Amino acid sequence: MTGELPESWARFELGDIFTAERGASLDPRRHPDTEFELFSVPAHPTGAPEVVTGGEVGSSKQQVQPGTVLLCRINPRINRVWVIPAAEDRPQIASTEWIALPPRPGIHPPFLAYSLQRGQVRDYLAAHVSGVGGSLMRARKSDVTELLLPLAPFPEQQRIVTKLDELFSELDAGVAALERAQAKLERYRASVLKAAVQGRLTERWRQENPPTETGAELLERILAERRRRWEEEQLAEFEAKGKKPPTDWKEKYKQPMAPDSDGLPELPEGWCWATVDQLARVVRGASPRPAGDPRYFGGSHIPWITVGELTGVQDLYLRRVSGFLTERGRRHSRVIPADTLLLTNSGATLGVPRITLIEGCINDGSVALLEVPYPLKLYLCLYLSTLTKSLRVNQQGAAQPNLNTDIVKAIRVPVPPAAEQAAIGRLVEAALSQASQIAASTAATVARTAVLRQSILAYAFQGRLVPQAPNDEPASVLLERIRAEREAEAERPKPKTKRPRKKAPSA
């Protein structure tokens, strides 16, 4: 965090001016009916504080005053800052994960806040953390006090803040517009999928392409093929054992469950209702235990398809994974072929369908829908995508949300004719591809604005954003006065607090 500065600027260690400590502790629970302004770490730094009563606060907080700069020291929001605004008729409190830097004459709080938002400050704090990892990693206070920061003359601090406010206001407005565009894209994707599985997307197509086979006829063909395959498997099994099939062996075939007709909406002409059980053979994945055991994990060529891999891609297709099993791990898992439709079935990310384009093993957090041909496979994937939110809502009461195979089998599916399924797949993939291109471009622009923001901050704190004024008091003189005031403050006797006199125990 060094470099050439204008002659009128200076550098200072944060600990020379601030103690980088928490403010005085306060337990709001002792004042259950009092309203507080709470500045919590997750809140956006430009947002308003949360107004809560003492009874709604679950732990002790620190008292803060207007003009205090709060610096977050915990991951993943390390170096987030917040300047405490002018107080209303409520006491102001903050999370203890903030380091409170109270106002000092000669240091403009927004100037200090902008300085702490720079990328090199974040890198410094991230390199000086302690803890057990992840969100429990905290920047050490002793290292925070050693932060070396630039300081401009006070009038220039104010000019810099005014210019940064102006530039970032425009930048933030642009980012907000991009975020609104991203939200619209998500709604567009959802509306395309919904229109597709309700038949509205292909209304014109149906008028121009009368079906040669209805959805009901397709379903009959699928069910007949399912039974034929079962019979072939049974005969092969009898033959392998050298046994003659009994006369009633075909009666043991278990028919897939039909859809419950209660509350089903009307479908377009030529469509019919079916269950996942009628359209696919549903099997659950399996995970070798214990997790991470080198006997099972860490192989080189057997892809390990986990829930994280499935939910980590925005595309409908899974093309690659990062983890692999050993041959022994494969024997303790579920092997599925390439081009298999998968559905995550447990945890907070259940209900996400993906088609894996690679052969591999799936864990017990997903189910495979086997023996589904194209174009039905893609159509079914699209339809299940429209159910993700409702599937999660229906499982909210469970301690561990879970879609067991019976629940998946019972899912009701509107089935169009095969030719219309193919048309739906083409139209949806084209629309989603275009939306993905726009989303990628928008995300790249948002990322560039973050880089631009850091470039502007770097420019500002090199003294190049606004001109210097020769009559401004140099920052070195300002620092000396601040240090002298702090030393005098430390030498002042602290007021003694009277301790309540203990009452003698009653006789």
Side-chain angles (χ1 to χ4, degrees):
M1 279 174 279
T2 59
E4 293 298 323
L5 292 177
E7 187 176 347
S8 59
W9 287 45
R11 286 193 176 88
F12 69 98
E13 280 193 2
L14 198 66
D16 283 349
I17 309 300
F18 303 97
T19 57
E21 294 288 341
R22 295 179 188 170
S25 182
L26 173 71
D27 190 346
R29 292 169 295 187
R30 296 183 178 178
H31 313 276
D33 299 324
T34 301
E35 282 192 343
F36 294 87
E37 286 185 358
L38 172 62
F39 298 81
S40 55
V41 167
H44 193 279
T46 60
E50 187 179 2
V51 177
V52 295
T53 63
E56 296 172 321
V57 180
S59 60
S60 292
K61 305 296 177 186
Q62 56 178 321
Q63 298 180 64
V64 290
Q65 58 178 309
T68 297
V69 176
L70 299 178
L71 171 65
C72 183
R73 66 188 187 98
I74 187 170
N75 275 335
R77 302 175 180 88
I78 202 166
N79 105 309
R80 171 170 286 182
V81 298
W82 205 340
V83 180
I84 303 298
E88 296 191 17
D89 295 332
R90 303 184 187 95
Q92 295 173 301
I93 56 176
S95 163
T96 54
E97 295 298 352
W98 296 108
I99 289 175
L101 306 173
R104 290 280 179 192
I107 297 183
H108 193 31
F111 177 86
L112 176 61
Y114 275 131
S115 178
L116 293 171
Q117 289 180 49
R118 290 175 297 148
Q120 59 258 59
V121 172
R122 177 180 176 80
D123 293 343
Y124 174 87
L125 294 176
H128 295 80
V129 294
S130 61
V132 296
S135 62
L136 297 181
M137 298 294 284
R138 293 172 172 83
R140 296 184 292 265
K141 292 179 183 176
S142 58
D143 292 310
V144 172
T145 59
E146 294 176 4
L147 261 172
L148 194 62
L149 299 176
L151 185 66
F154 188 74
E156 189 173 347
Q157 293 178 37
Q158 295 174 310
R159 295 196 298 272
I160 288 172
V161 167
T162 299
K163 187 63 177 177
L164 287 175
D165 285 347
E166 175 189 333
L167 293 173
F168 288 160
S169 175
E170 296 175 0
L171 201 59
D172 291 343
V175 171
L178 290 169
E179 290 174 344
R180 288 194 297 272
Q182 289 175 323
K184 287 181 180 178
L185 279 173
E186 288 303 313
R187 292 195 294 271
Y188 170 72
R189 286 191 183 101
S191 66
V192 167
L193 288 170
K194 187 174 181 180
V197 300
Q198 290 179 346
R200 291 184 286 112
L201 189 64
T202 45
E203 282 178 346
R204 182 174 177 180
W205 185 93
R206 276 196 305 277
Q207 294 172 2
E208 299 173 351
N209 298 272
T212 56
E213 178 188 55
T214 66
E217 291 167 341
L218 170 64
L219 180 58
E220 288 181 12
R221 184 159 57 84
I222 291 172
L223 293 174
E225 175 63 20
R226 288 274 298 279
R227 173 141 198 166
R228 184 193 62 77
R229 190 182 295 114
W230 178 85
E231 290 178 358
E232 286 181 352
E233 291 172 353
Q234 294 300 303
L235 289 172
E237 191 174 322
F238 287 130
E239 184 178 350
K241 294 179 180 178
K243 295 181 179 180
K244 185 178 179 180
T247 55
D248 62 344
W249 69 277
K250 291 186 178 181
E251 296 177 8
K252 294 183 179 180
Y253 178 71
K254 185 179 179 181
Q255 291 285 352
M257 72 175 77
D260 180 357
S261 60
D262 288 347
L264 288 176
E266 187 177 347
L267 294 175
E269 185 177 354
W271 291 40
C272 74
W273 284 101
T275 62
V276 168
D277 193 28
Q278 291 176 311
L279 303 174
R281 182 163 66 88
V282 181
V283 297
R284 187 166 185 173
S287 299
R289 294 285 191 272
D293 192 315
R295 294 174 299 172
Y296 309 129
F297 300 91
S300 59
H301 65 282
I302 303 171
W304 179 225
I305 302 170
T306 63
V307 171
E309 299 283 5
L310 296 173
T311 58
V313 294
Q314 297 301 311
D315 195 359
L316 294 172
Y317 301 95
L318 179 70
R319 293 176 168 83
R320 63 185 64 86
V321 295
S322 58
F324 297 86
L325 295 183
T326 63
E327 182 59 33
R328 188 170 180 179
R330 183 191 67 80
R331 294 195 297 270
H332 286 77
S333 185
R334 167 82 67 177
V335 182
I336 50 98
D339 259 344
T340 296
L341 174 57
L342 303 173
L343 180 68
T344 59
N345 72 339
S346 64
T349 54
L350 62 79
V352 176
R354 294 287 183 266
I355 297 174
T356 175
L357 299 183
I358 54 174
E359 178 181 327
C361 294
I362 59 173
N363 71 353
D364 53 12
S366 59
V367 294
L369 279 60
L370 302 175
E371 300 170 5
V372 185
Y374 282 107
L376 177 59
K377 186 179 301 181
L378 176 57
Y379 170 79
L380 187 53
C381 183
L382 297 174
Y383 178 69
L384 291 172
S385 297
T386 69
L387 301 183
T388 300
K389 289 184 179 179
S390 61
L391 290 173
R392 290 178 183 174
V393 168
N394 291 339
Q395 296 296 312
Q396 276 183 348
Q400 172 66 13
N402 189 3
L403 298 175
N404 60 43
T405 54
D406 288 339
I407 294 174
V408 175
K409 289 178 181 180
I411 292 174
R412 300 179 296 186
V413 182
V415 181
E420 190 168 353
Q421 293 172 20
I424 288 172
R426 290 192 300 271
L427 291 171
V428 171
E429 285 197 311
L432 295 187
S433 175
Q434 185 179 22
S436 294
Q437 291 175 14
I438 297 172
S441 175
T442 304
T445 305
V446 171
R448 285 196 294 271
T449 62
V451 174
L452 177 59
R453 186 182 184 92
Q454 286 300 319
S455 297
I456 293 172
L457 285 173
Y459 202 71
F461 288 92
Q462 291 166 2
R464 301 163 64 190
L465 187 64
V466 298
Q468 281 78 47
N471 295 329
D472 286 348
E473 179 186 62
S476 57
V477 177
L478 174 61
L479 275 176
E480 288 301 321
R481 186 167 63 254
I482 294 173
R483 291 188 180 110
E485 289 172 354
R486 188 181 176 194
E487 289 174 5
E489 186 179 290
E491 291 174 358
R492 291 192 197 104
K494 295 182 180 179
K496 294 182 180 180
T497 56
K498 294 183 179 181
R499 294 184 179 179
R501 189 178 293 177
K502 292 184 178 180
K503 294 182 178 181
S506 55

